[in-house]
């Protein structure tokens, strides 16, 4: 697999390098040694999956407040999503910048999002599933979020959400 830098400091598109034969392909999706060598957080504390019945489902953008920051390796395992991260680290050279990537089931890409960035996605197809590897465990009281259409970030989405949790739709404007 290849770690391809994104415009966001510390965030990478993880490109699979499929080994093909007459049956199909085999590919490594994660390599702790390669992550550590690149200075990425290689811990796997928990794995999660989310199923989204309706195309146009928007989840996020979420993060955990320090000291419970969580890195995420995000992969689409069914359907397709527009996957977005926004940098909320005040000391980062890419503070308040965002980067999106289309992730498809069977596609070559995953998205590694370090702690301190918020993450969200908009599904592009019905019955889309997203799998996460998390570097830190879930701490409900540390759950935070920013709004998908917050003017502070100017995130471009392929469409408006068809379904979104009230919590996600009503985060207050982000103050830099
Ligand atoms: C995140 C999480 C949630 N939960 C429970 C809490 C709720 O009872 C239920 C659904 O949680 P929530 O509505 O926060 O799920 P999402 O809106 O999909 O949140 C996720 O979506 C965005 C895109 C992310 O990047 C995070 O992975 C995560 O915040 O699962 C858990 O038990 N463990 C967990 O790690």
């Amino acid at each position: 697999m290849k770690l391809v830098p994104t415009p966001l400091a510390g965030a990478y598109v993880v490109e699979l390098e499929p080994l093909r034969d007459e049956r199909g392909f085999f590919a490594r999706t994660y390599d702790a040694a390669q992550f550590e060598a690149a200075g990425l957080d290689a811990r796997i504390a928990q794995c999660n999956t989310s199923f989204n019945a309706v195309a146009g489902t928007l989840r996020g953008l979420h993060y955990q407040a320090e000291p419970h920051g969580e890195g995420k390796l995000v992969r689409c395992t069914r359907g397709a999503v527009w996957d977005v991260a926004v940098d909320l680290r005040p000391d980062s050279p890419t503070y308040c910048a965002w980067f999106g990537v289309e992730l498809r089931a069977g596609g070559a890409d995953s998205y590694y999002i370090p702690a301190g960035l918020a993450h969200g996605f908009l599904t592009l197809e019905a019955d889309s599933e997203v799998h996460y590897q998390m570097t830190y465990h879930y701490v409900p009281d540390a759950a935070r979020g920013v709004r998908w259409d917050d003017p502070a970030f100017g995130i471009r989405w392929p469409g408006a959400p068809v379904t979104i949790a009230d919590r996600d739709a009503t985060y207050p404007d982000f103050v830099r």
Side-chain angles (χ1 to χ4, degrees):
M1 45 175 245
K2 254 188 325 190
L3 298 175
V4 179
T6 72
L8 301 182
Y12 292 81
V13 171
V14 179
E15 280 186 4
L16 302 190
E17 294 176 308
L19 302 171
R20 300 183 188 282
D21 62 23
E22 67 285 355
R23 298 165 298 171
F25 73 81
F26 178 90
R28 180 164 299 137
T29 58
Y30 175 68
D31 184 329
Q34 189 173 350
F35 269 49
E36 284 165 357
L40 277 60
D41 187 340
R43 291 173 297 171
I44 302 179
Q46 292 177 330
C47 291
N48 304 315
T49 188
S50 86
F51 173 77
N52 305 271
V54 174
T57 299
L58 194 143
R59 292 183 187 247
L61 292 94
H62 300 158
Y63 66 101
Q64 287 194 164
E66 292 306 329
H68 308 294
E70 53 183 358
K72 302 169 187 171
L73 180 62
V74 181
R75 183 160 183 76
C76 181
T77 51
R78 186 172 169 185
V81 298
W82 174 246
D83 205 62
V84 175
V86 61
D87 192 346
L88 301 179
R89 301 166 297 185
D91 58 345
S92 167
T94 53
Y95 180 47
C96 287
W98 64 274
F99 179 73
V101 58
E102 183 173 305
L103 302 177
R104 260 180 197 285
D109 298 340
S110 297
Y111 193 177
Y112 175 79
I113 298 160
L117 280 67
H119 169 253
F121 61 80
L122 181 75
T123 62
L124 304 174
E125 295 178 8
D127 299 336
S128 289
E129 290 187 13
V130 175
H131 179 270
Y132 306 80
Q133 275 180 209
M134 317 294 280
T135 65
Y136 192 87
H137 59 279
Y138 178 54
V139 180
D141 291 344
R144 303 287 187 277
V146 294
R147 221 175 50 250
W148 67 282
D149 60 350
D150 193 312
F153 311 121
I155 299 169
R156 282 197 314 280
W157 300 89
V162 169
T163 180
I164 181 172
D166 288 344
R167 168 204 60 188
D168 291 349
T170 55
Y171 290 120
D173 283 356
F174 182 76
V175 177
R176 290 183 72 126

